[in-house]
Amino acid sequence: MKLFWSMVMKEIISFFRSWGLVAVVLYSFTLDIYIAARGIELQAKNVSVGYVDKTGGGLSMKILSHLHAPEFQKPRRFLSQKALYDAMRNREIMIGLLFDRNFAKDYAATGRSTLNVLIDSIASSQSFQALNYLQSILLDFSDLHLPVSFKIHKLFNQNARTSWFMAIAEMLSVTTLLGVILTAAVFVREKENGTWDIMLLMPVDPKLLILAKSFSQVLILMAGIFIATGLILFHTFHVPIHGSLGGFFLLSFFYAFTTAGIGLFIAAAAKNMLQVAQLSILIMMPLIFLSGAWTPIHAMHPLLQDLSLLSPLRYYIEASESIFFRGTPIAELWSYFLGVILLGGALYLYGYRKIGKLF
């Protein structure tokens, strides 16, 4: 056991001597998560609006007065529909409103009218979110007598903050990618430095050597998760946690071994760090796509939904979201823990045996 911990400490010290690798890990668990949470906005925000008004004001101005920050920029007036269309082609505005001459007259006579809306659908998510805001504004001007009134209650993320979701999703994705690369790198560097044969001649059980090297990277990965959770999630974005923080770290520890198993497989196949990077992207991107981090599972094709059951990242993400937002007790998350442990155990055992053949 003393020899095991000596090898673990040797690998951790070797990691800290590699300034480039340390910088990558620190960047990934801090600035990368911050940029993803701040830079990716799924809600309508600061949307540029242009309009052509042939009514002479009045009702159209009342509608435009409801388009304000933070959802919309101050609406810009254009003198013709062609000028409005050209502005949209030049990406100056995202939404265009056309008030024809009869807009106010029709509304005064019948209580109903038609507003032509042009939408730049390239940024489809934000543009259609903005359209929903606009439809809600127009409903306030419609004389509708609906038998049902809506009272909306937002659960788990009451302010619908995209940054909370994106910060957690990015942290879990970064954990996946770095867990694979770090574990593979610790073996492949031996090949690149020409010390692989020397390592084979060491009077140490190969099984213990593989376990010590991979376990050291698990500890480094857990340190990164601690930093990201405390500094980025809690301190910077004030992400709430309604469940067990200890349960989340325990799940992360099991998941770190899952990524280590994939890293061992890559280390057995790769001859240099370039191949490590290539194989890591080739293997990890499908796992991330199928995890639900970028696209909800229920929105996928049924075949992809079934394949997502083979992605350990799916269980990790769903369990983490339940811990942070839903406050689900650990006892009710047993299926997610089981998924991570079974898939992780199988992947680690396969990678362990694969690289063990090289000794």
Side-chain angles (χ1 to χ4, degrees), residues 5-23 25 182-183 185-191 193 195 199 212-213 216-217 220:
W5 287 110
S6 297
M7 289 189 290
V8 169
M9 289 304 301
K10 177 257 182 186
E11 294 300 332
I12 292 177
I13 293 173
S14 177
F15 167 78
F16 282 107
R17 287 176 177 172
S18 178
W19 294 105
L21 206 55
V22 172
V25 172
L182 288 176
T183 305
V186 77
F187 289 95
V188 173
R189 280 185 301 177
E190 300 281 1
K191 298 179 182 179
N193 295 334
T195 56
M199 184 177 65
K213 281 180 170 290
S216 65
Q217 306 312 300
I220 292 171

Side-chain angles (χ1 to χ4, degrees), residues 97-231:
L97 306 178
L98 301 174
F99 298 93
D100 59 35
R101 288 186 176 87
N102 297 323
F103 178 78
K105 293 180 181 179
D106 292 342
Y107 180 81
T110 64
R112 305 179 69 87
S113 189
T114 300
L115 173 62
N116 294 299
V117 181
L118 306 178
I119 299 179
D120 182 354
S121 298
I122 295 177
S124 58
S125 177
Q126 192 174 47
S127 61
F128 281 98
Q129 284 283 352
L131 181 60
N132 289 333
Y133 279 115
L134 183 60
Q135 288 175 332
S136 298
I137 292 170
L138 294 177
L139 281 175
D140 293 337
F141 289 86
S142 301
D143 187 16
L144 299 177
H145 301 284
L146 298 177
V148 178
S149 61
F150 293 96
K151 190 174 183 180
I152 300 174
H153 302 271
K154 296 180 181 179
L155 303 180
F156 313 124
N157 187 358
Q158 287 80 1
N159 294 322
R161 294 183 178 176
T162 305
S163 60
W164 288 359
F165 169 78
M166 290 306 304
I168 292 178
E170 183 67 12
M171 182 184 73
L172 304 186
S173 298
V174 163
T175 298
T176 302
L177 192 58
L178 281 184
V180 172
I181 292 177
L182 288 176
T183 305
V186 77
F187 289 95
V188 173
R189 280 185 301 177
E190 300 281 1
K191 298 179 182 179
E192 286 189 330
N193 295 334
T195 56
W196 181 266
D197 293 334
I198 297 176
M199 184 177 65
L200 296 180
L201 296 175
M202 291 176 60
V204 179
D205 186 352
K207 296 179 180 179
L208 187 64
L209 182 63
I210 296 171
L211 184 60
K213 281 180 170 290
S214 58
F215 185 72
S216 65
Q217 306 312 300
V218 169
L219 294 181
I220 292 171
L221 196 64
M222 288 302 299
I225 295 174
F226 277 118
I227 293 173
T229 303
L231 183 62

